[in-house]
Amino acid sequence: MGQVVAPKSLRSVAAFDEKFTGVSGKKVSAVAGLIAAASVSSGAEAQQSNLPPVTVDAPVARPRPVASKPTADQVRARNALRRAAQRQQAAQQTAPATPSGPADANPYADPAAPYKVDHVQAGGKFPEKLVDTPKSITVLSKEVLADKNATSLKQAILSTAGVTLGSGEGGNAFGDRFFIRGFDARNDIFIDGVRDSGVSVRENFFTEQVEILRGPGSTFSGRGIAGGAINIVTKQANPDKSFYNMDTTFGTDQTKRVTLDVNQVINPTLAVRAGGLFQDANVAGRDYVKDDRNGAFVATTWKPVDAVKVTAGYIHTELTGVPDFGVPYYRPSTSTTASGPFPDFGANRNNWYGQINRDFYRTGQDIGSLNAEVQITPDLMVSNKFRASRSTQNYVGTLPESPVNGTPLSASTLTMNPQSRLQITDVLANQTEATYKFQDGAGFKHTALAGIEVDRERSSIDKYLGLTSEGSGVPTTPSGSPTGVSVFSPQDTYLPGKALALAGLPTKIGIDTVSGYVMDSANYHDLLILNGGFRYDNYSISSTGYAANGTLGRQSAEFLIPNFNLGLTLKPAPNGSVYVAYATSANPVGAEFDGTSTAYGGLNPTLAGGNTQIFGPEKNKAIELGTKWELFDRHLLLTAALFQTTKDNARESQNVGSAAAAAPLGCVYPTGTTGNISCITAGAAYRIRGIDLGIGGKLTDKWSVFGGLVLMQSEVTQSLAPSANKTLYPTNVGRPLANVAHESFSLLTKYQLTDVWELGGQAVYRSKIYGGTLLAANQGTSLPSYWRFDIFAEAKINKNWQVKLFVNNIFDKRYYDALYQSATPFVLEAPGRAAYVVLSARY
């Protein structure tokens, strides 16, 4: 080895040694001693300091006493300082370089490969790393969300394999409605592990990462969770570093967006983080549609002592604009499959079928949280989460429904079906958990968790009056007969608006749940991991509402619901695992909190005759066999799983036309009830099988990838209701499920070309989606498959500034996200091509 030059810390020690025994130089020697100690403790940062030289006028040295010599303690202290400096220098020369990461780094992700997440937020319920967790979990880190340019939960989820978007309908709210592995998950969305009840529209400006937990999971999360759940992890105050972030976006769709994210360390025990959002935007390829947003969040972290941590947070979002309920669907008759969205038959894809002077939406959320963790002993921790939230859905929109008729295509008209809702959802929730770590006599290291959860959910759902006449088709002839609205040139866009008034007869829903659960993960020398859990939910629901004749009705139900899960993980190598897992879940009646009837997962309060349509919970069971591997210095995670999920006692809807026809099926309506009467029966069953592949992390130091492939096969195995289209399908049995893309693929990748430039892109594929009523693909309607491609480039201007250019849907592909389930369907059209410039500041 070559000659090693002594660092400043050692030279400081020498100076300290020279002055150590001088009586007249006490002040200088004291300063030198402090400098020596600071240089030893500060490491490489002190040695590489570029601070300007400082001149100190020391006092004139006095004559040194003749008898002055260092004592034995002073010599030992001097030698200890020298040895410490030498060890520090040797460690700096031999230690591998590790990336320090940005100040706002995701605490759950691999710092060297931020596309790869190592842990989910619920550490007590999932104590092992993801590679050793016997469950398919897809995690979209903050960096993945940024490189997807996903500013909302919907954008993030729709570019992820295995998840499909559903449409809001007359009996449930419009908003974030997702299908995971073929099962409706619109009320299986959580924020920091607490259920976010009620359908809303969720922003991402306060989001650290999005976790998609696939497969049944009532043990972990309570009711529902048939196909999976989505957990939004929020940004928390960082007590280690202060930082100041700002992102400014301009887009060709008239987007103007600014987000702020500021973290301030007040003192070693307290940190505060705050952020804000402003957005003014249109939607590419859609006339008149507006997507405006604003919001703010604040989070605090307080650690008065090492054993106590208290966090608190508040989130406010408000999304406003002009809603887009899609485009009509061309269906010339009920006996043909020659059908599809009207833009595929010549209608302008930009056509918007609403009324600009009437239609609006305003979606808001206010979420307050207070959490505490106390480390009672090194092995025992007790935590408590308290949540209070209010979500509001307020809108009037137009469903462009296409009646089945034999008119020529060029003369096609649509029926304007106005939909409105004012839904206010309030939630109070409290989770108390104790986590205990211990080792048994057989050598297993246990992480055991026990918890109690108490939830109180309340919702009030009202609608606006004065909209029905506009749904018959306008404008009218001089005699008052409706002429219909042209599909190709909608002529009613600027009709004068009307004063809106609420009906004042809201449907009110209340759900009270008390849950107890225990789970354990037992690790045997990182070779064998066993885990299991059991949860008991005391679920109680009540609903009141008004029938068409003004009668006030009430329905209520209460269930005790047990669920469990088991998992076995074998580790053939430290970087890999093979596992098998089994889990159950349950969907009690009324669990879909936004539904106003049993046909939409709610509880119909207008039924008479006692507990009609109060069925036992739908039962879900799943088995999964999978493997996970960390490769390329453990910076890349590969996952593969085979799965099967079955649902028993599933509910189906039958349109019976009248209250008298509903009675033999057990559906008793109040006398005088009119309109389209639906009756629900229970006892259907279906099955979904598939393979789930995932990848996330780095292939090389410069090449990052994130994506997945999901292939599924679904089948209705038992059905009591007739097919929605008997001409095409005599029975539901054997049909695949509706609203499911059975094949889906996504891949996000980027490459660091130089220290300045990065280039990336994304490919997304969805197979054909079939339409149907609630359960089976039984209407002869479908959405075509599609590929979509995005591209982006990033330039680092300097250490504080960077700029990104995104082009979404670069080939301006016309495709569709969701299909309405009725016999006169409409579809949600996806945005067209748009380009965005994002300027980011990091301090």
Side-chain angles (χ1 to χ4, degrees):
M1 295 180 61
Q3 182 179 4
V4 178
V5 178
K8 290 182 179 179
S9 59
L10 293 183
R11 296 199 296 270
S12 299
V13 171
F16 171 60
D17 185 28
E18 179 179 332
K19 295 294 184 179
F20 196 90
T21 58
V23 175
S24 62
K26 284 183 179 179
K27 293 184 180 180
V28 174
S29 62
V31 173
L34 291 174
I35 294 175
S39 65
V40 170
S41 62
S42 61
E45 292 184 3
Q47 295 178 26
Q48 297 172 1
S49 175
N50 294 320
L51 294 175
V54 179
T55 303
V56 179
D57 294 329
V60 178
R62 297 178 182 176
R64 179 184 300 179
V66 177
S68 177
K69 291 184 179 181
T71 65
D73 290 339
Q74 291 170 338
V75 171
R76 283 193 293 271
R78 178 186 62 192
N79 292 337
L81 283 173
R82 286 175 173 170
R83 288 192 298 269
Q86 291 167 354
R87 286 193 299 269
Q88 181 75 13
Q89 183 182 23
Q92 293 163 3
Q93 292 173 347
T94 58
T98 57
S100 59
D104 61 340
N106 183 352
Y108 308 100
D110 182 341
Y115 276 15
K116 172 180 175 282
V117 173
D118 292 328
H119 298 275
V120 293
Q121 183 189 54
K125 296 178 180 178
F126 300 97
E128 304 289 344
K129 292 180 62 177
L130 282 185
V131 70
D132 299 328
T133 299
K135 189 178 184 66
S136 291
I137 302 177
T138 301
V139 184
L140 286 70
S141 68
K142 179 170 53 181
E143 290 76 13
V144 168
L145 295 175
D147 287 343
K148 286 176 176 285
N149 196 28
T151 61
S152 69
L153 181 64
K154 174 182 172 181
Q155 288 176 302
I157 293 299
L158 286 188
S159 58
T160 305
V163 186
T164 307
L165 183 69
S167 168
E169 297 165 14
N172 63 295
F174 286 82
D176 292 339
R177 186 186 184 193
F178 305 115
F179 286 80
I180 304 175
R181 287 187 175 175
F183 296 88
D184 195 341
R186 70 182 188 268
N187 270 290
D188 296 332
I189 298 176
F190 297 76
I191 296 179
D192 292 332
V194 179
R195 188 183 299 272
D196 186 29
S197 299
V199 173
S200 188
V201 180
R202 298 166 179 89
E203 243 286 336
N204 278 347
F205 79 101
F206 57 83
T207 302
E208 190 72 64
Q209 67 185 26
V210 175
E211 303 167 350
I212 305 173
L213 292 81
R214 304 177 189 268
S218 283
T219 307
F220 304 104
S221 307
R223 71 174 189 265
I225 326 295
I230 298 170
N231 184 41
I232 301 169
V233 181
T234 64
K235 296 176 179 178
Q236 299 297 312
N238 186 339
D240 299 325
K241 297 179 181 179
S242 296
F243 56 82
Y244 313 91
N245 298 341
M246 181 177 70
D247 296 295
T248 304
T249 304
F250 298 96
T252 57
D253 57 0
Q254 307 304 311
T255 291
K256 297 174 285 292
R257 176 183 173 93
V258 178
T259 61
L260 297 173
D261 184 4
V262 177
N263 187 84
Q264 183 65 50
V265 178
I266 307 300
N267 58 51
T269 66
L270 178 64
V272 178
R273 187 172 183 174
L277 161 72
F278 165 81
Q279 175 175 302
D280 181 359
N282 298 337
V283 176
R286 303 296 295 144
D287 291 341
Y288 305 106
V289 180
K290 291 286 294 180
D291 182 15
D292 299 338
R293 313 174 193 174
N294 64 74
F297 78 89
V298 62
T300 62
T301 299
W302 181 48
K303 292 190 68 173
V305 294
D306 290 342
V308 177
K309 179 181 178 181
V310 180
T311 61
Y314 174 74
I315 299 169
H316 168 79
T317 61
E318 185 171 7
L319 286 67
T320 61
V322 178
D324 184 9
F325 287 171
V327 298
Y329 189 94
Y330 175 59
R331 192 178 184 198
S333 71
T334 58
S335 60
T336 179
T337 56
S339 61
F342 261 100
D344 292 349
F345 288 86
N348 190 331
R349 65 182 291 180
N350 290 29
N351 280 355
W352 177 73
Y353 302 94
Q355 295 188 9
I356 195 67
N357 293 318
R358 182 197 67 183
D359 295 357
F360 76 96
Y361 75 87
R362 184 175 296 107
T363 299
Q365 284 192 294
D366 290 276
I367 304 169
S369 302
L370 178 62
N371 309 324
E373 297 177 358
V374 179
Q375 196 75 42
I376 306 294
T377 70
D379 298 322
L380 176 62
M381 185 181 74
V382 176
S383 65
N384 191 85
K385 292 181 180 180
F386 175 77
R387 168 75 52 81
S389 68
R390 166 166 285 197
S391 299
T392 303
Q393 276 274 62
N394 188 14
Y395 61 78
V396 174
T398 304
L399 308 187
E401 296 184 332
S402 306
V404 176
N405 56 55
T407 59
L409 179 64
S410 60
S412 294
T413 61
L414 60 90
T415 297
M416 295 179 60
N417 182 2
Q419 293 294 313
S420 66
R421 177 172 291 227
L422 174 59
Q423 176 171 339
I424 300 174
T425 302
D426 294 309
V427 176
L428 290 175
N430 193 87
Q431 294 179 4
T432 302
E433 296 179 345
T435 303
Y436 183 54
K437 297 182 179 181
F438 65 96
Q439 183 167 344
D440 63 21
F444 283 91
K445 293 182 178 179
H446 293 260
T447 301
L449 180 144
I452 296 175
E453 181 174 350
V454 180
D455 299 326
R456 182 183 185 273
E457 305 163 71
R458 297 291 184 269
S459 189
S460 174
I461 304 174
D462 206 347
K463 63 181 179 181
Y464 288 94
L465 299 175
L467 307 176
T468 304
S469 61
E470 300 172 11
S472 301
V474 287
T476 62
T477 64
S479 63
S481 301
T483 63
V485 176
S486 170
V487 169
F488 295 92
S489 300
Q491 70 270 40
D492 60 334
T493 304
Y494 287 100
L495 284 178
K498 295 182 177 180
L500 296 176
L502 288 170
L505 301 173
T507 296
K508 297 198 173 186
I509 307 170
I511 297 178
D512 293 288
T513 309
V514 178
S515 307
Y517 50 92
V518 293
M519 50 194 69
D520 184 26
S521 178
N523 187 322
Y524 183 77
H525 301 295
D526 286 330
L527 299 174
L528 170 67
I529 304 173
L530 303 174
N531 67 61
F534 181 83
R535 182 181 180 115
Y536 220 106
D537 291 299
N538 186 337
Y539 170 88
S540 176
I541 181 173
S542 64
S543 178
T544 61
Y546 294 86
N549 61 1
T551 304
L552 177 65
R554 176 183 175 85
Q555 288 276 27
S556 61
E558 184 173 358
F559 301 100
L560 296 176
I561 307 172
N563 283 289
F564 70 95
N565 73 286
L566 296 170
L568 168 65
T569 303
L570 300 175
K571 291 187 62 61
N575 63 321
S577 68
V578 179
Y579 67 88
V580 62
Y582 181 86
T584 68
S585 66
N587 295 81
V589 64
E592 302 300 346
F593 206 48
D594 62 308
T596 55
S597 71
T598 319
Y600 294 96
L603 186 62
N604 194 336
T606 63
L607 292 175
N611 288 331
T612 55
Q613 295 192 296
I614 303 296
F615 307 110
E618 298 177 337
K619 297 290 187 177
N620 314 298
K621 296 176 288 186
I623 187 169
E624 184 172 307
L625 174 65
T627 184
K628 301 181 182 182
W629 292 87
E630 291 181 320
L631 304 176
F632 301 105
D633 293 329
R634 307 190 76 161
H635 295 321
L636 181 75
L637 178 62
L638 295 177
T639 65
L642 297 171
F643 64 89
Q644 174 178 289
T645 304
T646 60
K647 179 184 282 288
D648 296 315
N649 201 41
R651 295 181 285 271
E652 297 177 290
S653 176
Q654 300 184 47
N655 291 324
V656 293
S658 67
L665 297 174
C667 301
V668 182
Y669 285 82
T671 303
T673 301
T674 60
N676 186 20
I677 303 297
S678 64
C679 184
I680 307 300
T681 57
Y686 53 93
R687 176 184 64 230
I688 295 182
R689 294 169 172 164
I691 181 172
D692 194 326
L693 307 177
I695 184 172
K698 280 190 172 182
L699 295 172
T700 70
D701 289 341
K702 299 178 181 294
W703 188 6
S704 300
V705 293
F706 178 86
L709 171 67
V710 177
L711 307 174
M712 298 188 297
Q713 181 187 60
S714 66
E715 182 180 4
V716 177
T717 56
Q718 185 174 343
S719 176
L720 304 179
S723 172
N725 189 333
K726 293 183 180 180
T727 303
L728 290 176
Y729 313 112
T731 178
N732 289 327
V733 176
R735 296 296 302 160
L737 296 182
N739 298 312
V740 178
H742 287 78
E743 296 90 37
S744 58
F745 168 81
S746 66
L747 181 65
L748 173 70
T749 182
K750 70 176 178 180
Y751 190 83
Q752 184 179 343
L753 299 173
T754 67
D755 291 340
V756 174
W757 287 96
E758 288 184 345
L759 183 65
Q762 178 176 231
V764 177
Y765 172 77
R766 291 289 185 274
S767 64
K768 180 183 290 187
I769 297 176
Y770 294 97
T773 54
L774 295 179
L775 190 65
N778 55 16
Q779 289 182 339
T781 56
S782 65
L783 296 180
S785 62
Y786 69 87
W787 279 94
R788 193 199 81 211
F789 299 93
D790 309 326
I791 194 171
F792 67 91
E794 177 181 340
K796 292 180 173 61
I797 301 172
N798 55 42
K799 68 177 183 178
N800 300 120
W801 290 88
Q802 68 181 30
V803 62
K804 272 187 176 181
L805 172 64
F806 293 91
V807 181
N808 292 349
N809 194 5
I810 58 177
F811 298 114
D812 202 22
K813 175 68 176 178
R814 184 173 65 245
Y815 67 99
Y816 310 93
D817 286 330
L819 177 64
Y820 181 55
Q821 71 178 24
S822 78
T824 57
F826 64 92
V827 301
L828 301 183
E829 185 175 355
R833 178 173 54 227
Y836 304 91
V837 174
V838 181
L839 182 64
S840 301
R842 299 288 183 267
Y843 286 92

